[in-house]
Every structure is written in structure tokens, then in C-alpha cells.
Amino acid sequence: MLQTQQVNTPNDTISKITLSNGNETSIVVSNLGATLLNFKTPDKNGKLQDIVLGFDTVEEYFRNTDTYFGATIGRIANRTETASFSLDGETFQIDKNEGENNLHSGPNGYQIRIWEVESLDESSNQVTFKLDSSDGDQGYPGNLTLKITYRLTDDNQVTITYQALSDKNTPLSPTNHSYFNLNGHASGSIENHLLQLNASAFTPIKDSTSIPTGQIADVEGTPFDFRKPKTIGQDIDQPFEQLQFAGGYDHNLVLDNPNLQTAFATVIGDKSGIRLEAFTDLPGVQFYTGNFLNNHPGKAQASYGKRHGFCLETQFFPNAINVPNFPSPVLKANTPATYQTIYKVSIH
Ligand code: GLA
């Protein structure tokens, strides 16, 4: 089922769209930032839990631009070293918003854009948002049209489909920045959640700037080995330099076999029994454990503290546009591209 609500803010009218299925699962998405606002599903006791962090009002999404709760990030998610890159013999400068580097494409990111509601499709329970990002927008080349479709299926899959077309070669690595807490958004630390992740390698970072060294390192024998299930917290405070740089996990893992049929990650909420499976055809995932959350006021008077949510941000590797041995994030001119990420919930 699909319901639309219009919210008037001083300057704009924002849409909130609810998609629900016959299994009491529902999501609310907005054309402000093509954001996932709510994701509700019953826990093992049949009690509805909202499993994503966020705000009650759309104004708060405009104001709080450092958490990226539920938002779509583009054109490039994650870090770009020196906020510059070369493409086809030309050098491009983007905003320096994290020291000398760029994070999430800068202050004018896609998360604060008002996207067009291009289509609402009741029969397939989906909504498509569209953004026209002009040549030079954020400093990137090419007129880019990006469409994002959110769909909720009857078997509790939220599919996020990115469709992109540019008239020039341009880097593109969009992601969804949802913070999950499978015990419910306001239920504290995620460190006792159980995680299994099919990644045999990760991209180590140089220092606390979180810029990758360019190496692809084996997870074997490190806290980054989640190939067999373990709690998120089991090794998070190990005296391991990579973790200390970021105050926990905030690293790109290299997916063994990115595809839409086998989950790359399975996470279980220890109190709720809610299981999240994630699928993608993108090569990497930024696993972020909410290390920078600092009693952030959220939905229904919640206060989100350090490690109260985790993100699985599917993406090309951070700084890939500057690292030749990482898979290329370049979208070729006049060549449509489609990427997909799926978050599926069930009871463990
Ligand atoms: C990303 C980054 C983190 C942090 C969050 C937002 O996940 O990797 O370092 O900046 O966004 O707070």
C-alpha cells in the first residue's frame, strides 16, 4: 500500500511516502534527500520496531547535515583525497569539507536536495525520485540524471535501485546512509548485534583522516574478520591501530562476491530477534559503527549515543577515483548504469 503526505516547510513542500506490505512492515521515504525516514517491522514478540535512526521533522534533516541519517549521498560517497581528481586529462576540484579532503561530496550534497517525485507505483509498491545534477554541480563534470527507486516487497525486502545517465564521463558512487539498530532505533548500543559479512579483505586507512592507503588487506587474524558470525563489539576496542584511527569500525570492506542473490551481510538484533540481510552489486561497503554519534537528539525524544547505530553503506571504494587499483567509479558518457542494494528483514 502506498500513501503520500505533503509537509509544508518555510521554503518548500516536501513529500513523505509510506510503503507498507501485508506483513506489518513499512517504510517512509522522502524526496528531501531521497531519504529513508522510517523502517518498521515486528520483532520476535510481534511488537513493531522502527529500526533506523532519524528525526521526526523534515526541518531537522535540513539542519543536521553531519549525521546523514537515512540519506542518499552523491555524487561520491565517502572520502576524496585533497578534494580533487583527474579525469580524461582534466583536474577537478570539489569542496574541502573534512580538512584538506572531501567527505560525501561536500555541503551541497544530494542529501539536502529536493528530488522530483518522478513516479508512484501502487501495484509494485514503489516510488522513484529523480535528481538532475548539472555539469559543474559540486565541481563534478557532466550533466547527470540520477533516479532512485525504493520498493517494498511482500517478503520484506527494501530494494534501492540507482539508475544513472551522464553526458560526460563522471565519477559516481552513490550510497544510502541509513543507521540501523535492529533492537529499535532508541535502544542503545549495537555492540551486541551479531554480524556475519562475506568480505575477505578491507581497505586500510592512512590515519584519522580515513583516507585509504590504497592497499587491499586480508582480514584474516584482524578485528575486520566477520566471515564467521561474531558480535559487532567483540573486537571493536582491540588495541588495533586501524580501529583506533576511527574510534571503531569506519572502513570499507571488499565484498567477496557482490550480487543480488546471496546476502553479503547478515545482522541479528540480540534483543529483538530481527534479522537484516543486505545484498548489493556494488564492490564495497563502508561498515560504520556510529563512532561519532554524541547524544544526538532523534525521533521521539531519543538520544543517539556513540555506537547506537551501524551503517552498511554500499559503494565503490573510498577515494577510488584517485586509486588506479580500486574498481573504477567512472560512469561512462551516454551509457546508462544501474546499481542495486537490498535490505531484507525477517525474524531470526
Ligand atoms: C560516513 C563516514 C564516517 C562519518 C559518517 C557521518 O559513514 O565514513 O566517518 O563521517 O559518514 O558522521
Side-chain angles (χ1 to χ4, degrees):
M1 205 174 77
L2 190 154
Q3 283 167 301
T4 308
Q5 188 198 344
Q6 305 293 347
V7 184
N8 292 317
T9 68
N11 300 317
D12 306 281
T13 302
I14 311 281
S15 302
K16 278 184 174 184
I17 296 128
T18 304
L19 303 174
S20 44
N21 68 14
N23 299 315
E24 288 183 273
T25 296
S26 64
I27 60 171
V28 182
V29 293
S30 176
N31 65 329
L32 168 60
T35 301
L36 177 63
L37 305 176
N38 299 336
F39 187 165
K40 291 188 182 161
T41 196
D43 65 16
K44 63 182 178 192
N45 300 317
K47 185 169 179 249
L48 269 192
Q49 300 290 351
D50 184 352
I51 58 168
V52 292
L53 278 56
F55 303 111
D56 286 326
T57 64
V58 287
E59 286 86 350
E60 288 166 283
Y61 284 90
F62 272 123
R63 276 203 308 271
N64 292 276
T65 50
D66 56 344
T67 51
Y68 307 92
F69 288 150
T72 294
I73 312 292
R75 288 187 197 189
I76 301 192
N78 219 311
R79 276 111 190 146
T80 300
E81 189 170 22
T82 67
S84 69
F85 59 91
S86 298
L87 186 60
D88 302 327
E90 232 185 293
T91 300
F92 296 91
Q93 188 68 49
I94 55 176
D95 293 310
K96 294 185 177 179
N97 65 331
E98 199 177 63
E100 286 302 295
N101 305 317
N102 175 278
L103 173 67
H104 293 331
S105 294
N108 189 23
Y110 291 178
Q111 73 280 357
I112 51 160
R113 307 287 177 92
I114 315 270
W115 295 54
E116 181 189 328
V117 182
E118 201 206 33
S119 63
L120 295 166
D121 183 340
E122 178 101 49
S123 62
S124 42
N125 218 16
Q126 67 180 43
V127 50
T128 299
F129 300 120
K130 179 177 148 197
L131 185 73
D132 287 316
S133 171
S134 57
D135 194 356
D137 186 13
Q138 301 170 316
Y140 295 109
N143 292 298
L144 169 75
T145 299
L146 183 61
K147 293 184 188 182
I148 296 192
T149 301
Y150 283 97
R151 174 170 190 224
L152 176 65
T153 67
D154 282 335
D155 63 343
N156 292 349
Q157 298 190 37
V158 175
T159 67
I160 306 175
T161 310
Y162 302 86
Q163 290 171 277
L165 184 62
S166 169
D167 61 359
K168 287 185 187 163
N169 290 348
T170 190
L172 176 69
S173 178
T175 197
N176 177 275
H177 206 304
S178 289
Y179 290 64
F180 293 95
N181 187 323
L182 302 179
N183 293 332
H185 73 100
S187 56
S189 173
I190 45 78
E191 286 169 83
N192 288 329
H193 283 45
L194 203 63
L195 168 66
Q196 192 272 329
L197 222 159
N198 295 326
S200 306
F202 75 111
T203 53
I205 51 180
K206 291 181 181 177
D207 48 34
S208 59
T209 61
S210 292
I211 299 289
T213 60
Q215 291 160 294
I216 294 187
D218 204 322
V219 297
E220 180 76 40
T222 77
F224 292 84
D225 192 350
F226 283 95
R227 289 172 297 177
K228 295 204 183 80
K230 68 177 180 185
T231 61
I232 290 177
Q234 183 175 308
D235 295 324
I236 204 169
D237 289 319
Q238 293 268 336
F240 192 77
E241 193 179 41
Q242 284 293 317
L243 290 173
Q244 291 168 335
F245 286 151
Y249 297 100
D250 190 1
H251 294 73
N252 171 66
L253 286 118
V254 178
L255 299 178
D256 287 343
N257 179 20
N259 70 84
L260 298 170
Q261 283 74 45
T262 322
F264 71 82
T266 303
V267 198
I268 297 166
D270 50 302
K271 296 181 191 147
S272 65
I274 294 172
R275 180 202 288 122
L276 176 77
E277 291 168 284
F279 307 72
T280 193
D281 49 17
L282 285 159
V285 64
Q286 184 82 2
F287 174 47
Y288 173 54
T289 44
N291 312 317
F292 302 123
L293 291 174
N294 182 15
N295 302 326
H296 219 96
K299 294 177 200 174
Q301 271 103 53
S303 172
Y304 302 133
K306 185 175 175 182
R307 301 185 184 157
H308 285 195
F310 68 90
C311 304
L312 291 169
E313 303 159 56
T314 57
Q315 55 174 7
F316 285 92
F317 303 172
N319 199 33
I321 190 64
N322 289 315
V323 185
N325 65 309
F326 286 175
S328 170
V330 174
L331 173 69
K332 295 281 180 213
N334 305 314
T335 311
T338 302
Y339 310 113
Q340 201 170 66
T341 294
I342 302 171
Y343 297 113
K344 178 180 182 185
V345 288
S346 54
I347 293 298
H348 172 55

